[in-house]
Amino acid sequence: MESEGGAGAGTGTGTGTGTDASTADADADASTGSADASTDASTETSTGTSTGNGDTRTAPTSAPDGGTGEKADPEADPTTPAKPPRFARLTRWQAEHPQGARALSRTITVLAAILVVCTLVMPATIVDLGPARFFRLPGEAIVGAAILLALPRKPRVVLAAVSGVALAALTVLNWLDMGFKQYLGRTFNLVLDWSLLGDAQSYLEDSLGRTATLAATAGLIVLVLLLFASLAYAVVRLSNVLARHSATATRGTLIAGVVWITCSSFGVQLAGVPLAADSAAVTLQSQTERVSDTLKDEAEFQKVAKVDAFGATPPAQLVPDLRGKDMIFTFIESYGRSAIEDPIMAPGVDKTLAVRTEALKKAGYHAKSGWLTSATYGGSSWLGHSTTLSGLWVSNQQRYRTVMASDHLSLTKMFKKSGAWDTVGVMPGVQKGWPEQSFFGLDKVYNAFELGYKGPKFSWSTMPDQYTLEQFQRRVHSKKHDKPVMSEVILTSSHQPWGPIPKMVGWDELGDGSIFKGIEAAGNKPADVIADTTKSRQEYGKSIQYSVTALTEWLERYGSKDTVLVFLGDHQPIARVSGNHASRDVPISIVAKDPKVLDKISAWGWSDGLRPAHDAPVWKMNLFRDRFLTAYGSTPHPKKG
């Protein structure tokens, strides 16, 4: 590779023969503090002549002591000004070690090129990361080089700096895409998803502790700032090198362009990966389309949310076939198809479902189960809850806000509207104000601070599911009411990171939850589970077994002939647990003692018991509300907004 320190030098010894571009580039390097300009300076000092690149600076004369011409003690002569250069010591080192300076300059240039190329060819998913992905020819670099070569110095430097910043921003978005695909099974939405970063920080704080989370957050901020600064500097430096060797760079750009077009046309691959890359352009295009689609979707969904097939149904015609029943709608965190069918998790979960089905049968209960395709994946549980209960496909935060602000009737609110039920919510995951209570039509909501829990948190989960259910029994289900009660209960013990996991204790021993202190202390540390994929899958399976056991034991212990339980998962666990190509399906079961309740859904084709068969019907989650209402006698009266 060419030497940047003496690059472009002419053959003369007194005056330079370089071009104006060379002169401009040397000045540009000096203005940016680059090692190229410093090396040029060191060469002048050591030779006492111009570098031949058009720079007419005069080399300093030798001092009597054999130095570089600088006073040994500037203060000895009051007429000598203090050393003005910010990098005087570095300049002196370069003058004394010209070969080392040239080697350092070349190394920095090579590293700058590697950084730029790696960010340009970076894949969009974690699973695609591999050596072959980084040995590709980025088309964006070829186009960028051609443009920079055609510009004068000042516009070139400005464009290079702006391009570096833009590339850094695109890289950050690419990293966010990777993380969202790995955890939520979808790409990052530039318009909607910034609020989720705060939730992610809260989750880390609950899982790893405040100190570790603050350290990780600070480290991430520093990393992002370094990325922006490094890429801006790298592109400016490379642009200077291109301009200083414009003839060679022009030929190289043309050759690279021909190679890229040829490889792209013929589909040339290296280790199964296309050699011609346009990853950055594809990422930019997809982000732009995503923003445009999001803005269009917001306007269209507002119209959809105004239409409700049961919006104008008279109260007396809402779920008449369930009158007199205590209805319980329960969501189990991250309870997905993978828990039942994955070879690592399934054996334990399937055994639990079989055992609990038999136990319920002995207690007089029967169940039917099927599949729903969730509107979310890996997280954002509230999207699954609202999709199930609203009958609308609530797949992002903007849709969620639109639905919550609408007068569209949720399934739970229809029980309230009927006038035949009192309505209650038990929400141990709610730790702040919850205005959604109105949309879901809940007369009373018990949040994390209203259930009397004095035990330890289990990572993100504020309390074990068994304790939540016991408090539901004491505060709601066991109380005498003038009307039956419709309850929405959210169970959180199967929330990631699945460490530590609660264990079942005697129902009479629950007390205020203090009994769980020893169980929490003896459990796995969150960091140990998070760092091990196999262990994460194993512990996830155990958490589902715990939640299903707690819920069905509660029903077996406290249920009556008028209790009807509907329980389902809100979404699949993260991709690291469920797999990179897992479906979005979640199990759903309806359990009751009264055979008439299950007879109403016999046409659905659901499986008997708590475990849905592999080929049981699969519906989109938003279809459940209307089919449930219809099955239990509700009469449609559309409201069109």
Side-chain angles (χ1 to χ4, degrees):
M1 186 171 179
E2 66 275 359
S3 167
E4 283 121 49
T11 57
T13 58
T15 60
T17 61
T19 64
D20 291 340
S22 312
T23 305
D25 290 327
D27 293 339
D29 283 348
S31 68
T32 58
S34 73
D36 292 352
S38 301
T39 307
D40 286 343
S42 67
T43 305
E44 293 177 84
T45 303
S46 62
T47 61
T49 65
S50 168
T51 62
N53 63 0
D55 195 338
T56 57
R57 292 172 292 179
T58 303
T61 57
S62 299
D65 60 358
T68 61
E70 295 175 347
K71 298 285 186 180
D73 183 6
E75 295 182 0
D77 185 354
T79 63
T80 301
K83 292 186 287 187
R86 283 174 58 185
F87 302 105
R89 190 172 300 174
L90 176 61
T91 302
R92 189 184 306 118
W93 176 85
Q94 292 170 329
E96 295 172 353
H97 305 87
Q99 292 184 345
R102 283 193 293 272
L104 177 62
S105 177
R106 292 172 179 174
T107 300
I108 294 174
T109 300
V110 170
L111 291 176
I114 292 174
L115 176 62
V116 171
V117 170
C118 285
T119 52
L120 285 172
V121 301
M122 185 175 295
T125 59
I126 292 177
V127 295
D128 287 332
L129 287 173
R133 287 281 175 178
F134 294 96
F135 287 94
R136 307 172 71 197
L137 186 61
E140 302 88 351
I142 299 169
V143 174
I147 294 173
L148 292 173
L149 280 167
L151 293 176
R153 180 184 67 87
K154 287 186 179 179
R156 171 176 54 77
V157 171
V158 171
L159 179 60
V162 171
S163 298
V165 170
L167 182 56
L170 204 60
T171 301
V172 170
L173 290 177
N174 203 29
W175 288 351
L176 289 169
D177 270 353
M178 287 183 179
F180 270 64
K181 286 177 182 177
Q182 184 70 5
Y183 283 87
L184 302 181
R186 62 177 178 84
T187 53
F188 177 77
N189 190 303
L190 189 60
V191 178
L192 305 177
D193 287 337
W194 293 108
S195 61
L196 297 183
L197 300 182
D199 293 333
Q201 186 176 20
S202 298
Y203 160 71
L204 286 177
E205 187 169 330
D206 289 331
S207 302
L208 304 179
R210 183 171 178 79
T211 301
T213 300
L214 289 176
T217 302
L220 183 60
I221 293 173
V222 170
L223 175 63
V224 170
L225 293 176
L226 282 175
L227 177 70
F228 274 83
S230 299
L231 276 171
Y233 170 75
V235 178
V236 170
R237 182 182 186 89
L238 293 175
S239 75
N240 289 338
V241 173
L242 290 173
R244 192 157 45 250
H245 309 286
S246 58
T248 301
T250 300
R251 288 193 298 271
T253 301
L254 289 173
I255 293 171
V258 171
V259 172
W260 191 93
I261 293 173
T262 302
C263 291
S264 179
S265 301
F266 290 96
V268 178
Q269 295 187 347
L270 175 66
V273 177
L275 191 59
D278 59 353
S279 304
V282 170
T283 300
L284 179 60
Q285 180 183 1
S286 64
Q287 289 286 351
T288 303
E289 291 176 351
R290 215 172 297 159
V291 170
S292 176
D293 292 344
T294 299
L295 297 177
K296 291 178 182 177
D297 178 75
E298 179 180 351
E300 293 174 358
F301 187 71
Q302 286 179 345
K303 298 177 182 178
V304 173
K306 292 179 180 179
V307 179
D308 190 341
F310 292 88
T313 300
Q317 297 179 22
L318 289 171
V319 286
D321 296 342
L322 290 173
R323 301 295 167 107
K325 303 297 184 185
D326 284 322
M327 295 298 305
I328 304 168
F329 293 92
T330 301
F331 290 91
I332 297 180
E333 171 66 36
S334 300
Y335 181 30
R337 183 187 277 263
S338 296
I340 294 175
E341 297 187 348
D342 182 89
I344 291 181
M345 289 95 74
V349 174
D350 287 352
K351 181 179 179 180
T352 296
L353 293 174
V355 169
R356 297 313 306 157
T357 296
E358 288 302 313
L360 289 175
K361 185 181 294 186
K362 290 180 180 178
Y365 289 94
H366 297 278
K368 284 189 176 293
S369 302
W371 302 105
L372 299 180
T373 300
S374 179
T376 185
Y377 176 97
S380 301
S381 302
W382 56 92
L383 302 182
H385 303 167
S386 56
T387 296
T388 304
L389 298 178
S390 71
L392 297 169
W393 191 250
V394 188
S395 56
N396 60 51
Q397 193 63 20
Q398 181 57 51
R399 287 189 168 207
Y400 181 76
R401 288 193 288 262
T402 298
V403 171
M404 291 301 113
S406 73
D407 59 359
H408 195 92
L409 285 176
S410 64
L411 178 58
T412 46
K413 194 168 190 176
M414 287 186 182
F415 282 89
K416 176 180 176 65
K417 180 182 176 181
S418 73
W421 281 270
D422 291 331
T423 57
V424 176
V426 179
M427 313 283 184
V430 173
Q431 302 180 59
K432 54 186 177 182
W434 197 58
E436 291 91 333
Q437 177 178 347
S438 174
F439 174 81
F440 290 110
L442 302 174
D443 298 321
K444 167 66 178 175
V445 170
Y446 292 92
N447 64 26
F449 308 109
E450 296 177 291
L451 295 172
Y453 184 64
K454 303 299 182 183
K457 291 180 67 176
F458 283 75
S459 294
W460 184 89
S461 180
T462 57
M463 63 192 70
D465 291 345
Q466 186 185 8
Y467 180 88
T468 298
L469 291 163
E470 177 65 19
Q471 289 300 309
F472 167 60
Q473 173 63 24
R474 293 181 184 180
R475 298 170 186 268
V476 180
H477 192 256
S478 65
K479 300 293 185 181
K480 290 185 178 181
H481 298 270
D482 295 334
K483 306 173 184 178
V485 179
M486 190 290 306
S487 306
E488 181 184 355
V489 181
I490 310 297
L491 300 182
T492 62
S493 289
S494 49
H495 195 288
Q496 60 175 302
W498 309 297
I501 299 171
K503 294 182 179 179
M504 294 295 295
V505 300
W507 288 88
D508 296 329
E509 301 174 1
L510 285 166
D512 63 2
S514 298
I515 191 173
F516 289 104
K517 290 180 179 179
I519 295 174
E520 189 273 340
N524 292 316
K525 302 302 180 186
D528 295 337
V529 177
I530 291 173
D532 189 329
T533 299
T534 300
K535 195 166 189 177
S536 292
R537 298 172 78 186
Q538 293 170 339
E539 296 305 302
Y540 161 73
K542 293 176 183 177
S543 73
I544 295 298
Q545 294 176 57
Y546 168 78
S547 294
V548 169
T549 299
L551 178 60
T552 53
E553 279 196 12
W554 174 89
L555 182 61
E556 182 184 0
R557 181 181 177 90
Y558 296 119
S560 71
K561 62 181 179 63
D562 291 322
T563 303
V564 178
L565 171 65
V566 181
F567 75 94
L568 67 154
D570 44 25
H571 55 72
Q572 283 265 54
I574 59 176
R576 189 162 52 84
V577 170
S578 60
N580 294 307
H581 304 289
S583 73
R584 294 191 173 210
D585 297 345
V586 299
I588 179 169
S589 300
I590 298 180
V591 190
K593 271 189 177 181
D594 186 347
K596 295 179 182 179
V597 173
L598 297 185
D599 288 344
K600 294 290 183 180
I601 63 170
S602 58
W604 289 1
W606 283 14
S607 307
D608 291 331
L610 298 178
R611 185 192 186 283
H614 177 76
D615 59 352
V618 181
W619 305 340
K620 289 187 69 175
M621 185 177 269
N622 61 307
L623 299 179
F624 176 75
R625 187 201 76 155
D626 287 5
R627 292 187 179 183
F628 182 89
L629 290 171
T630 301
Y632 292 104
S634 304
T635 306
H637 284 271
K639 178 181 179 182
K640 297 183 178 180

mmCIF file of all heavy atoms in Angstrom, residues 586-606:
data_model
loop_
_atom_site.group_PDB
_atom_site.id
_atom_site.type_symbol
_atom_site.label_atom_id
_atom_site.label_comp_id
_atom_site.label_asym_id
_atom_site.label_seq_id
_atom_site.Cartn_x
_atom_site.Cartn_y
_atom_site.Cartn_z
ATOM 1 N N VAL A 586 -50.096 -19.438 20.021
ATOM 2 C CA VAL A 586 -50.173 -19.646 21.473
ATOM 3 C C VAL A 586 -51.358 -20.552 21.774
ATOM 4 O O VAL A 586 -52.356 -20.553 21.049
ATOM 5 C CB VAL A 586 -50.333 -18.305 22.230
ATOM 6 C CG1 VAL A 586 -49.143 -17.395 21.976
ATOM 7 C CG2 VAL A 586 -51.631 -17.602 21.831
ATOM 8 N N PRO A 587 -51.265 -21.361 22.843
ATOM 9 C CA PRO A 587 -52.396 -22.222 23.225
ATOM 10 C C PRO A 587 -53.490 -21.419 23.913
ATOM 11 O O PRO A 587 -53.225 -20.421 24.584
ATOM 12 C CB PRO A 587 -51.774 -23.229 24.203
ATOM 13 C CG PRO A 587 -50.313 -22.926 24.245
ATOM 14 C CD PRO A 587 -50.116 -21.563 23.718
ATOM 15 N N ILE A 588 -54.725 -21.878 23.752
ATOM 16 C CA ILE A 588 -55.854 -21.300 24.470
ATOM 17 C C ILE A 588 -56.761 -22.440 24.913
ATOM 18 O O ILE A 588 -56.972 -23.404 24.166
ATOM 19 C CB ILE A 588 -56.635 -20.283 23.610
ATOM 20 C CG1 ILE A 588 -57.831 -19.734 24.405
ATOM 21 C CG2 ILE A 588 -57.087 -20.886 22.282
ATOM 22 C CD1 ILE A 588 -58.505 -18.544 23.744
ATOM 23 N N SER A 589 -57.264 -22.359 26.141
ATOM 24 C CA SER A 589 -58.133 -23.405 26.697
ATOM 25 C C SER A 589 -59.345 -22.768 27.375
ATOM 26 O O SER A 589 -59.237 -21.679 27.963
ATOM 27 C CB SER A 589 -57.376 -24.256 27.721
ATOM 28 O OG SER A 589 -56.250 -24.884 27.140
ATOM 29 N N ILE A 590 -60.477 -23.463 27.278
ATOM 30 C CA ILE A 590 -61.681 -23.088 28.028
ATOM 31 C C ILE A 590 -62.019 -24.268 28.936
ATOM 32 O O ILE A 590 -62.121 -25.409 28.471
ATOM 33 C CB ILE A 590 -62.862 -22.769 27.102
ATOM 34 C CG1 ILE A 590 -62.515 -21.573 26.205
ATOM 35 C CG2 ILE A 590 -64.121 -22.475 27.909
ATOM 36 C CD1 ILE A 590 -63.628 -21.174 25.244
ATOM 37 N N VAL A 591 -62.158 -23.984 30.236
ATOM 38 C CA VAL A 591 -62.375 -25.028 31.241
ATOM 39 C C VAL A 591 -63.652 -24.709 32.016
ATOM 40 O O VAL A 591 -63.860 -23.572 32.444
ATOM 41 C CB VAL A 591 -61.184 -25.121 32.215
ATOM 42 C CG1 VAL A 591 -61.316 -26.364 33.098
ATOM 43 C CG2 VAL A 591 -59.854 -25.121 31.471
ATOM 44 N N ALA A 592 -64.497 -25.727 32.209
ATOM 45 C CA ALA A 592 -65.753 -25.517 32.943
ATOM 46 C C ALA A 592 -66.279 -26.842 33.474
ATOM 47 O O ALA A 592 -65.959 -27.909 32.942
ATOM 48 C CB ALA A 592 -66.787 -24.859 32.034
ATOM 49 N N LYS A 593 -67.101 -26.783 34.508
ATOM 50 C CA LYS A 593 -67.796 -27.966 35.017
ATOM 51 C C LYS A 593 -69.108 -28.189 34.275
ATOM 52 O O LYS A 593 -69.498 -29.322 34.011
ATOM 53 C CB LYS A 593 -68.076 -27.816 36.519
ATOM 54 C CG LYS A 593 -66.978 -28.319 37.418
ATOM 55 C CD LYS A 593 -67.418 -28.330 38.869
ATOM 56 C CE LYS A 593 -66.311 -28.929 39.753
ATOM 57 N NZ LYS A 593 -66.706 -28.971 41.179
ATOM 58 N N ASP A 594 -69.778 -27.107 33.964
ATOM 59 C CA ASP A 594 -71.064 -27.193 33.279
ATOM 60 C C ASP A 594 -70.829 -27.668 31.843
ATOM 61 O O ASP A 594 -70.203 -26.954 31.046
ATOM 62 C CB ASP A 594 -71.726 -25.819 33.287
ATOM 63 C CG ASP A 594 -73.144 -25.860 32.724
ATOM 64 O OD1 ASP A 594 -73.525 -26.882 32.116
ATOM 65 O OD2 ASP A 594 -73.860 -24.852 32.885
ATOM 66 N N PRO A 595 -71.310 -28.852 31.458
ATOM 67 C CA PRO A 595 -71.068 -29.355 30.108
ATOM 68 C C PRO A 595 -71.668 -28.478 29.022
ATOM 69 O O PRO A 595 -71.186 -28.476 27.878
ATOM 70 C CB PRO A 595 -71.723 -30.747 30.128
ATOM 71 C CG PRO A 595 -72.701 -30.716 31.242
ATOM 72 C CD PRO A 595 -72.122 -29.793 32.260
ATOM 73 N N LYS A 596 -72.697 -27.706 29.347
ATOM 74 C CA LYS A 596 -73.312 -26.840 28.351
ATOM 75 C C LYS A 596 -72.340 -25.767 27.855
ATOM 76 O O LYS A 596 -72.439 -25.310 26.710
ATOM 77 C CB LYS A 596 -74.561 -26.176 28.937
ATOM 78 C CG LYS A 596 -75.683 -27.139 29.277
ATOM 79 C CD LYS A 596 -76.868 -26.393 29.871
ATOM 80 C CE LYS A 596 -77.994 -27.362 30.255
ATOM 81 N NZ LYS A 596 -79.140 -26.633 30.868
ATOM 82 N N VAL A 597 -71.412 -25.356 28.715
ATOM 83 C CA VAL A 597 -70.445 -24.319 28.329
ATOM 84 C C VAL A 597 -69.565 -24.802 27.184
ATOM 85 O O VAL A 597 -69.351 -24.098 26.190
ATOM 86 C CB VAL A 597 -69.581 -23.904 29.542
ATOM 87 C CG1 VAL A 597 -68.463 -22.960 29.103
ATOM 88 C CG2 VAL A 597 -70.448 -23.238 30.604
ATOM 89 N N LEU A 598 -69.065 -26.036 27.297
ATOM 90 C CA LEU A 598 -68.201 -26.570 26.243
ATOM 91 C C LEU A 598 -69.006 -27.049 25.036
ATOM 92 O O LEU A 598 -68.496 -27.062 23.913
ATOM 93 C CB LEU A 598 -67.341 -27.700 26.796
ATOM 94 C CG LEU A 598 -66.353 -27.300 27.907
ATOM 95 C CD1 LEU A 598 -65.472 -28.482 28.286
ATOM 96 C CD2 LEU A 598 -65.490 -26.116 27.489
ATOM 97 N N ASP A 599 -70.247 -27.429 25.255
ATOM 98 C CA ASP A 599 -71.093 -27.821 24.121
ATOM 99 C C ASP A 599 -71.269 -26.664 23.141
ATOM 100 O O ASP A 599 -71.395 -26.881 21.926
ATOM 101 C CB ASP A 599 -72.462 -28.281 24.612
ATOM 102 C CG ASP A 599 -72.409 -29.645 25.305
ATOM 103 O OD1 ASP A 599 -71.385 -30.346 25.137
ATOM 104 O OD2 ASP A 599 -73.380 -29.983 26.021
ATOM 105 N N LYS A 600 -71.280 -25.453 23.657
ATOM 106 C CA LYS A 600 -71.472 -24.285 22.802
ATOM 107 C C LYS A 600 -70.331 -24.105 21.793
ATOM 108 O O LYS A 600 -70.512 -23.444 20.764
ATOM 109 C CB LYS A 600 -71.574 -23.021 23.670
ATOM 110 C CG LYS A 600 -72.807 -22.975 24.575
ATOM 111 C CD LYS A 600 -74.080 -22.791 23.772
ATOM 112 C CE LYS A 600 -75.291 -22.664 24.692
ATOM 113 N NZ LYS A 600 -76.554 -22.481 23.917
ATOM 114 N N ILE A 601 -69.159 -24.672 22.092
ATOM 115 C CA ILE A 601 -68.020 -24.493 21.183
ATOM 116 C C ILE A 601 -67.620 -25.818 20.527
ATOM 117 O O ILE A 601 -66.522 -25.941 19.997
ATOM 118 C CB ILE A 601 -66.806 -23.887 21.919
ATOM 119 C CG1 ILE A 601 -66.305 -24.834 23.026
ATOM 120 C CG2 ILE A 601 -67.151 -22.517 22.504
ATOM 121 C CD1 ILE A 601 -64.972 -24.412 23.621
ATOM 122 N N SER A 602 -68.500 -26.793 20.547
ATOM 123 C CA SER A 602 -68.157 -28.105 19.980
ATOM 124 C C SER A 602 -67.852 -28.014 18.489
ATOM 125 O O SER A 602 -67.055 -28.793 17.955
ATOM 126 C CB SER A 602 -69.305 -29.089 20.223
ATOM 127 O OG SER A 602 -70.517 -28.603 19.636
ATOM 128 N N ALA A 603 -68.444 -27.041 17.804
ATOM 129 C CA ALA A 603 -68.210 -26.896 16.360
ATOM 130 C C ALA A 603 -66.854 -26.292 16.044
ATOM 131 O O ALA A 603 -66.454 -26.265 14.875
ATOM 132 C CB ALA A 603 -69.324 -26.037 15.746
ATOM 133 N N TRP A 604 -66.147 -25.834 17.054
ATOM 134 C CA TRP A 604 -64.842 -25.211 16.799
ATOM 135 C C TRP A 604 -63.764 -26.232 16.429
ATOM 136 O O TRP A 604 -62.738 -25.867 15.869
ATOM 137 C CB TRP A 604 -64.389 -24.427 18.034
ATOM 138 C CG TRP A 604 -65.173 -23.167 18.277
ATOM 139 C CD1 TRP A 604 -66.216 -22.696 17.540
ATOM 140 C CD2 TRP A 604 -64.960 -22.226 19.328
ATOM 141 N NE1 TRP A 604 -66.675 -21.518 18.054
ATOM 142 C CE2 TRP A 604 -65.923 -21.195 19.162
ATOM 143 C CE3 TRP A 604 -64.075 -22.140 20.395
ATOM 144 C CZ2 TRP A 604 -66.004 -20.100 20.023
ATOM 145 C CZ3 TRP A 604 -64.155 -21.060 21.255
ATOM 146 C CH2 TRP A 604 -65.112 -20.042 21.068
ATOM 147 N N GLY A 605 -63.963 -27.475 16.776
ATOM 148 C CA GLY A 605 -62.970 -28.493 16.474
ATOM 149 C C GLY A 605 -61.763 -28.485 17.387
ATOM 150 O O GLY A 605 -60.709 -29.047 17.039
ATOM 151 N N TRP A 606 -61.898 -27.887 18.561
ATOM 152 C CA TRP A 606 -60.782 -27.842 19.496
ATOM 153 C C TRP A 606 -60.542 -29.214 20.119
ATOM 154 O O TRP A 606 -61.434 -30.065 20.165
ATOM 155 C CB TRP A 606 -61.064 -26.825 20.603
ATOM 156 C CG TRP A 606 -60.870 -25.394 20.164
ATOM 157 C CD1 TRP A 606 -60.755 -24.937 18.887
ATOM 158 C CD2 TRP A 606 -60.782 -24.244 21.005
ATOM 159 N NE1 TRP A 606 -60.600 -23.580 18.870
ATOM 160 C CE2 TRP A 606 -60.609 -23.118 20.169
ATOM 161 C CE3 TRP A 606 -60.837 -24.051 22.378
ATOM 162 C CZ2 TRP A 606 -60.483 -21.822 20.661
ATOM 163 C CZ3 TRP A 606 -60.720 -22.761 22.876
ATOM 164 C CH2 TRP A 606 -60.539 -21.660 22.031
#
